Amino acid sequence: MSTAEHPAHAGTDGTRKFLVLLLGSIGVVYGDIGTSPLYAFREALRPFSHDGVSQEEVVGLVSLMVWTLTLIVTFKYVLFLLRADNDGEGGTLSLLALLMKKTGSYMPVLFFAGIIGAALFIGDAMITPALSVMSALEGLKLVTPALSDYVLPMATAVMIALFMVQSKGTAAVSNFFGPITVVWFLVMAWGGLIHIGDNLTILQALNPINALWFITHAGFVGLIVLGAVFLTVTGAEALYADLGHFGRKPIQTAWFVLVFPALALNYLGQGAFVLTHPEGADNPFYLMYPDWALLPVVILATLATIIASQAVITGAFSLARQAVHLGFLPRLQITFTSETNTGQIYVPAVNVLLFVGVIVLIFSFGDSESLATAYGISVTGAMVVTTLMSFQFLRSIWGWSALAAGAVLLPLLVLEAVFLGANLLKIHDGGWVPVMLALAIMLIMWTWTRGSHLLKEKTARHDIPLETFIRSIEKSKHPPVTVPGTAVFLTSVGDKVPAVLLHNIKHNHVLHEKNVILTVQTSEKPYVPENGRVTLTKLSDRFSKLELCFGFMDEPNVSKALGLCKKAGFKFEIMQTSFYLGRRTLIGDPNVGLPRWQDDLYIALSGLGIDPSTYFKLPANRVVEIGEQVTI
């Protein structure tokens, strides 16, 4: 009897799948935010701990942390943004793709908002591994001061190993992520619970009035402290970015059942510990634990920070793939490392960029205390961008009025703007690092998008309508020589004659029996089903137009997609088919289009793009390339 005849079996399978997703979301989605207690409370205490901290200051600070988690993570991300999905996918660029489809009048604003958010996330992906791993390994100083000099080399070794294994794929390792992170959250909760009883006054932090008191009474020092407080929500963007991998319900359940309680208990415990042991303010997280547990906790923390680093690295890979499909970056090499999970990808260029950035950050700052000052800007900036884009989402997608959308989001925007302002005060003290990283990445994305647009405009001036060309060929008294087989000409504009087709006739004076004009489109949707992938239009006895549509999260495998064409009436033999590609050699012209330096940057970026035959998975022995020089 089938499973369908046993509802109990189907329910059991559904429950098992949910629990697997729940465990996976704890390991991947919450890996980053789960390492924040290592340094957030310590850094928030630092500005006013030199002359001792009062009970009101500690209670107010912990209250601010707990309520920041509640307002920003719980309400904004877990309850609201997880519902702002693009066919199940989340993240800044996914939201941008959805809004670009719906609101053409705000395209420039949305475009720059999207690339700012993406650029800040890449900066976050560089800083997170450096900061979190260094914070964990610095616990070794408490085990024995003799290990102090080895923290930097050990952090470097961990990073080298982490980035080297990326090309192998993380499918097997990820099976351990969830259980290890579950143990990590339970240990954090235990560490907090054993100290809350030290001073029950800390429970007053659950009253938001104490958070407001802290903000209004801390003065200028309070602004500096706010920058550190925001470290409690680092990694919240992963909630949204990883929506497509795990789904809304597992992510929400994990937050309310385990993650949020564990974080709140740990911060309450650290607060109570500092009230009882003011001398422990330098490193309250590790000092909370008994001596016998210190080394195991350091090892567990290091594992947790490696997992957190893996989460943001994988997120950066996914973001890069979305950026490529949306036309914000050249066609980078993307390798799929899992046959079943499309989210398991490896992007060599991004991996090298992140590795170099992380190593430079580790040696430039030297310790987690210095690096923490640079962290908040990228996180707060990305969150402000997401909130601004959410306003347009509420209006365009959910149909809310501007007043209603503003009433919901304005308090969050004000709160995040205050945090951003507080972090901007650290510009001179390392805060310029994420700003410069973001500006550099924005410049790259803008240059590629602008250059591609200008190049498209320039080539369009010489385009010939496809229908006009077909009629001229059919009526010609001296048509090109007909050769057997099928020729597939790739082009980005399906209703114009591909330049490679014109060059083929001009230089070889031949035309195949069957000619297919192929365009590959990227949908604003993450995934396109196979039954909606192929559109075939017969233009004449010799010419057909074929459109293949992939989602921006799909692998653009043209060879595999062509196998679907038989259902649409296009039958071909692969060994009698030639794929014609045009290869452009770009030459900069400072007198038109982009300035000289941007021309050079665009040409350099084009060199990073992989061969179209590789990107589209075309059969290597059936590809013909014809080159041309184009001045930009």
Side-chain angles (χ1 to χ4, degrees), residues 55-70:
Q55 176 176 296
E56 290 79 8
E57 288 172 332
V58 172
V59 171
L61 183 57
V62 173
S63 180
L64 190 57
M65 289 182 156
V66 170
W67 282 98
T68 298
L69 284 170
T70 302

Side-chain angles (χ1 to χ4, degrees), residues 404-426:
V408 170
L409 294 178
L410 187 59
L412 276 174
L413 182 61
V414 170
L415 177 62
E416 290 172 350
V418 170
F419 279 121
L420 179 59
N423 278 287
L424 288 174
L425 294 175
K426 303 174 183 177

Side-chain angles (χ1 to χ4, degrees), residues 318-460:
S318 297
L319 183 142
R321 178 169 66 165
Q322 293 180 24
V324 168
H325 289 339
L326 291 172
F328 297 165
L329 289 175
R331 292 185 184 126
L332 302 174
Q333 180 182 347
I334 299 174
T335 304
F336 289 78
T337 59
S338 171
E339 295 181 357
T340 57
N341 185 355
T342 58
Q344 294 287 342
I345 61 174
Y346 170 62
V347 186
V350 175
N351 194 58
V352 171
L353 174 68
L354 294 180
F355 172 71
V356 172
V358 168
I359 296 301
V360 168
L361 288 171
I362 287 176
F363 282 94
S364 297
F365 287 86
D367 56 56
S368 64
E369 177 187 342
S370 301
L371 193 54
T373 62
Y375 196 19
I377 292 178
S378 59
V379 179
T380 50
M383 288 186 176
V384 167
V385 168
T386 305
T387 301
L388 291 173
M389 295 176 70
S390 299
F391 175 79
Q392 192 60 43
F393 172 87
L394 287 177
R395 297 198 62 198
S396 303
I397 310 301
W398 284 4
W400 288 27
S401 67
L403 183 62
V408 170
L409 294 178
L410 187 59
L412 276 174
L413 182 61
V414 170
L415 177 62
E416 290 172 350
V418 170
F419 279 121
L420 179 59
N423 278 287
L424 288 174
L425 294 175
K426 303 174 183 177
I427 284 286
H428 67 286
D429 193 22
W432 58 271
V433 172
V435 173
M436 295 304 295
L437 285 173
L439 287 174
I441 296 166
M442 285 171 57
L443 180 63
I444 289 172
M445 288 187 173
W446 177 66
T447 297
W448 181 257
T449 306
R450 178 63 177 157
S452 299
H453 178 72
L454 292 174
L455 185 60
K456 185 177 180 180
E457 282 186 339
K458 183 167 186 176
T459 54

Side-chain angles (χ1 to χ4, degrees), residues 10-303:
T12 302
D13 291 341
T15 301
R16 185 181 297 111
K17 182 179 180 181
F18 177 81
L19 291 176
V20 169
L21 290 172
L22 178 68
L23 189 62
S25 70
I26 293 172
V28 176
V29 175
Y30 295 110
D32 191 1
I33 199 171
T35 59
S36 296
L38 283 167
Y39 48 79
F41 187 64
R42 178 195 72 195
E43 295 304 317
L45 282 174
R46 200 174 300 280
F48 53 86
S49 61
H50 59 279
D51 57 351
V53 291
S54 66
Q55 176 176 296
E56 290 79 8
E57 288 172 332
V58 172
V59 171
L61 183 57
V62 173
S63 180
L64 190 57
M65 289 182 156
V66 170
W67 282 98
T68 298
L69 284 170
T70 302
L71 292 175
I72 293 180
V73 182
T74 303
F75 287 105
K76 177 184 173 182
Y77 284 92
V78 176
L79 296 179
F80 166 55
L81 273 179
L82 289 185
R83 298 180 182 277
D85 65 297
N86 185 355
D87 285 349
E89 287 293 329
T92 302
L93 292 184
S94 180
L95 181 60
L96 174 63
L98 183 61
L99 293 178
M100 287 173 66
K101 179 173 60 176
K102 294 288 185 179
T103 55
S105 59
Y106 291 90
M107 289 281 282
V109 175
L110 290 174
F111 167 74
F112 280 106
I115 64 171
I116 289 170
L120 289 169
F121 184 85
I122 295 294
D124 184 12
M126 289 183 184
I127 300 175
T128 293
L131 174 60
S132 56
V133 170
M134 288 175 68
S135 297
L137 290 174
E138 282 169 357
L140 293 172
K141 298 177 182 179
L142 302 177
V143 176
T144 170
L147 293 175
S148 298
D149 294 336
Y150 295 95
V151 170
L152 209 60
M154 290 177 68
T156 304
V158 168
M159 289 298 101
I160 291 173
L162 180 62
F163 282 97
M164 283 183 64
V165 301
Q166 295 304 312
S167 61
K168 308 298 182 183
T170 57
V173 181
S174 64
N175 293 330
F176 299 98
F177 284 5
I180 291 174
T181 313
V182 167
V183 173
W184 170 245
F185 279 114
L186 292 175
V187 168
M188 283 199 298
W190 167 64
L193 276 172
I194 61 177
H195 284 287
I196 288 177
D198 293 354
N199 194 326
L200 292 176
T201 305
I202 198 63
L203 294 178
Q204 294 178 15
L206 299 177
N207 185 344
I209 298 299
N210 289 293
L212 294 174
W213 178 92
F214 182 87
I215 293 174
T216 55
H217 287 76
F220 180 75
V221 173
L223 282 177
I224 300 175
V225 171
L226 284 177
V229 168
F230 210 81
L231 295 175
T232 58
V233 295
T234 57
E237 283 286 320
L239 286 170
Y240 193 29
D242 289 320
L243 174 59
H245 298 306
F246 300 99
R248 182 190 310 138
K249 290 297 181 183
I251 294 175
Q252 289 177 329
T253 303
W255 174 254
F256 287 112
V257 172
L258 176 64
V259 179
F260 187 31
L263 292 173
L265 286 171
N266 190 270
Y267 286 124
L268 289 168
Q270 288 193 54
F273 176 79
V274 169
L275 286 175
T276 310
H277 307 280
E279 69 282 1
D282 287 340
N283 206 329
F285 179 85
Y286 282 122
L287 292 174
M288 282 197 303
Y289 293 94
D291 291 341
W292 61 266
L294 186 56
L295 184 58
V297 171
V298 171
I299 295 173
L300 183 60
T302 303
L303 292 174

